[in-house]
Amino acid sequence: MKISVNLLVLLGLTLFVFSFSASSSDNFNWRGFVAQGLIQAEHSNYIDDEGDLTLKLTEVGLNGSYTFENSNFRVAGQVVYLNGGNRYPEGFRVDYLFFDWRAITNLDWQVNVHLGRVKNYHWLYSSTRDVPHTRPSIILPQSIYFDAFRDVALGVDGVAVVANTSNSWGDWEFNWSYGNSPISEEQTKNLIAPTSMGNIEQEYVHQGNLVWHDQVLILSAGLLDSKFEYVSGAQDFFIDGKAQVQRIILQGTYETQNWLLAFELFRERNIYNNLIFDGFINNTQSEGGYVQGRYLINKDLALTTRLDIFDLDRKDRNGETRSAQSGGQIPAYFGYQDQFTLGVSWTFAEDWQLQAEFHRVKGTGRLAPVFMPNIMHNDRKYWNIWGVQFAHWF
């Protein structure tokens, strides 16, 4: 099921009109944020090909929602400008824009149905990664939150259902969504190769997860199934092809007064047909995940530490088989990426935050492009990332 551009335009116009007609009404709410930082990733193309210190850490966003009078309907949306270097295409985009219908509201159940460009509620930070001051770190764990896939993974043009209920065992939440995400030509080159002349189209992504929680503990399990098609261009090195991604993911958090512990683990099956040559088939299983600890020194100051692990092929964790298949042209360290993070977050004034962090990275298996790795600019097995970012919200 594909949501047409016309529907998204209609949603946008609706939000725009009501933002003026109800600007002084309790039914309309809007917020915004501005974030700017400095970042460097030496000996890699993660931020830029040179690995220099750069200001490519800019995020500006405006979001709002309008609840229709005496009804169970509202409309919500967000537009952002991003400059993250090679992490994702620079420019403006609509992160989400959807109608929200409170289909059921009673003592036992609350069920909401979203239609439009809906958000991804299936991962711990998938619904908040688009707002800088709500993330635990500037850079999220790449095993789960692969930056080159940011716009695709943030949500879909389609439908979502969010259901909540409680019983004697605790509180329960079920999330389900179905749709697809547009993938631009620049994103295609970032994912496939700079020489790619075609386009990736996501046929669909189907996700669901079940969440249980009490006052301190949250546990969740989810499934994902998605299909993609590559349509080659004129004089393209690649040919028409298809890909399917299937993922199972386990998540959890444990929170006390000063500590917040979190983890997400996944196994993902990746199937590629044709694309490189007629009859090409690649069927591998990736594995990864992270464990994260966050300690609140006080209400304004928090320390974060994290270990993030990713293996491109669980049967080739050291990447040596892939390297051998390429005739040694692709180093073995492109088969994995392990990352240790240490960061600090300081809310130094009302609506102002400073984040600083350091990452020690082993391997380059989570750097774009995927199919034709950038060997020239990723010439180290071990490399570092450090960054600082100021954020203001209003």
Side-chain angles (χ1 to χ4, degrees), residues 67-308:
T67 302
F68 294 90
E69 195 75 36
N70 299 320
S71 75
N72 292 328
F73 292 91
R74 73 181 182 106
V75 61
Q78 174 171 286
V79 61
V80 297
Y81 167 82
L82 301 177
N83 183 2
N86 293 337
R87 295 165 63 195
Y88 28 71
E90 178 187 358
F92 290 92
R93 67 259 283 149
V94 177
D95 275 344
Y96 59 89
L97 187 59
F98 60 86
F99 280 114
D100 175 15
W101 171 39
R102 286 182 296 170
I104 300 174
T105 303
N106 56 42
L107 294 177
D108 298 318
W109 284 91
Q110 178 172 321
V111 179
N112 288 61
V113 179
H114 298 167
L115 179 65
R117 180 160 294 173
V118 301
K119 301 196 74 172
N120 178 355
Y121 296 102
H122 305 286
W123 314 340
L124 288 183
Y125 304 113
S126 57
S127 63
T128 59
R129 66 183 297 184
D130 54 318
V131 179
H133 59 278
T134 62
R135 298 189 299 255
S137 56
I138 301 169
I139 298 172
L140 289 174
Q142 293 300 290
S143 62
I144 305 288
Y145 303 92
F146 184 27
D147 277 341
F149 226 63
R150 183 256 187 207
D151 294 341
V152 181
L154 191 65
V156 295
D157 295 346
V159 61
V161 175
V162 180
N164 293 272
T165 189
S166 298
N167 55 30
S168 58
W169 292 346
D171 298 322
W172 300 84
E173 179 179 333
F174 175 71
N175 301 291
W176 172 87
S177 65
Y178 183 89
N180 61 81
S181 296
I183 302 176
S184 67
E185 181 179 339
E186 188 175 355
Q187 286 177 298
T188 298
K189 292 181 181 295
N190 199 25
L191 291 168
I192 301 294
T195 57
S196 168
M197 304 300 292
N199 287 289
I200 300 176
E201 296 180 1
Q202 186 178 50
E203 296 182 9
Y204 70 84
V205 58
H206 190 186
Q207 289 196 77
N209 74 302
L210 181 65
V211 185
W212 170 87
H213 61 92
D214 60 12
Q215 293 182 345
V216 297
L217 185 63
I218 299 176
L219 296 174
S220 173
L223 296 171
L224 176 150
D225 180 41
S226 182
K227 284 188 177 182
F228 299 85
E229 180 180 11
Y230 180 78
V231 181
S232 60
Q235 299 180 340
D236 201 343
F237 173 83
F238 299 93
I239 66 172
D240 293 353
K242 289 184 176 292
Q244 184 170 13
V245 178
Q246 298 172 321
R247 174 186 286 191
I248 180 170
I249 185 169
L250 303 175
Q251 305 152 321
T253 65
Y254 176 75
E255 185 172 7
T256 66
Q257 183 177 356
N258 297 102
W259 280 97
L260 176 59
L261 305 177
F263 76 88
E264 290 187 88
L265 306 173
F266 80 94
R267 176 178 289 179
E268 184 175 272
R269 184 183 184 189
N270 301 278
I271 306 171
Y272 301 98
N273 292 285
N274 299 326
L275 189 63
I276 298 178
F277 58 82
D278 193 25
F280 171 79
I281 297 177
N282 182 274
N283 188 340
T284 59
Q285 290 187 2
S286 301
E287 282 185 342
Y290 68 90
V291 290
Q292 175 180 279
R294 188 167 173 85
Y295 179 70
L296 302 178
I297 298 175
N298 55 49
K299 64 181 182 65
D300 298 322
L301 190 63
L303 299 177
T304 299
T305 184
R306 180 169 63 232
L307 179 62
D308 182 28

